[in-house]
Amino acid sequence: MRIDILTLFPDMFSGVFGNSILKRSIQKGLLEVHTHDIRNFTLSKHRRVDDYPFGGEAGMVMMIEPIARCIEQLQLERDYDAVIFMSPDGVPFKQNAANRLSMVENIIILCGHYKGIDERIREIYITEEISIGDYVLSGGEIAAMAVVDAVVRVIPGVLNDETSALSDSFQDGLLSAPVYTRPADYKGHKVPDVLLSGNERLIKDWKLEQQLLRTSQRRPDLLED
Ligand code: SAH
């Protein structure tokens, strides 16, 4: 899978893509990430990327041309399955979207900043808009990182234990069961006996019961869905 990220702050991504599972998936050849500095696509001498909003609101708006030139250049090089804009008014990001996007070849992710981007970019180029929650970040970069991480960890072969992503929260519409490791007894706080029993069927039943319990206590809305 190839992901092209359009941003005013490409340096923000190096830490995230240089560590852990994202780093490993790049090394394994399962993921290619390219960040593009929108500033490099300006035609103006001063490399201007934002301007005052028409109608006189506070804040600056990212201009059409540099973003349009960057997207158009990429689209000349290959076909994209989705051109995504990160935005608080986008579709709330859920696990099913991560699963779906993990199966496509090429995506573009555009990160806004300041007051946002000129609406016409959204009309002309954007095929999908994603929000990571009902709060406003300073820019789309952290939101894009969250989306990329969630997408990449469900690409087959990325996680060492293939089944591991399947037992995570949300994959089956439920929250995950609690997990434990050694020691079995920490200052009197014991691991549930059933997990030490070796009885696979009992363990499976216990996990499902815990998932249902957790989901009904913490996220009853998931059970309604
Ligand atoms: N004026 C906009 C917010 C701009 S915040 C509004 O009220 O909707 C600047 C940029 O940060 C946005 O363009 C978007 O790319 C990103 N951003 C902020 N919050 C986000 C969220 N919850 N999810 C995804 N992207 C977000």
Side-chain angles (χ1 to χ4, degrees), residues 85-89 110-117 130-141 143:
F85 176 50
M86 303 310 306
S87 186
D89 62 6
L110 170 62
C111 305
H113 229 92
Y114 315 120
K115 200 69 197 147
I117 62 170
I130 297 179
S131 163
I132 64 159
D134 290 347
Y135 41 81
V136 177
L137 302 164
S138 326
E141 285 74 14

Side-chain angles (χ1 to χ4, degrees), residues 113-126:
H113 229 92
Y114 315 120
K115 200 69 197 147
I117 62 170
D118 190 305
E119 186 68 16
R120 290 165 290 179
I121 283 286
R122 302 171 75 164
E123 291 165 9
I124 302 169
Y125 297 100
I126 300 300

Side-chain angles (χ1 to χ4, degrees), residues 27-46:
Q27 286 171 341
K28 280 185 181 172
L30 296 167
L31 172 69
E32 230 183 275
V33 182
H34 300 266
T35 52
H36 306 274
D37 188 342
I38 294 167
R39 218 170 277 283
N40 293 337
F41 293 83
T42 53
L43 289 174
S44 80
K45 204 165 67 209
H46 302 292

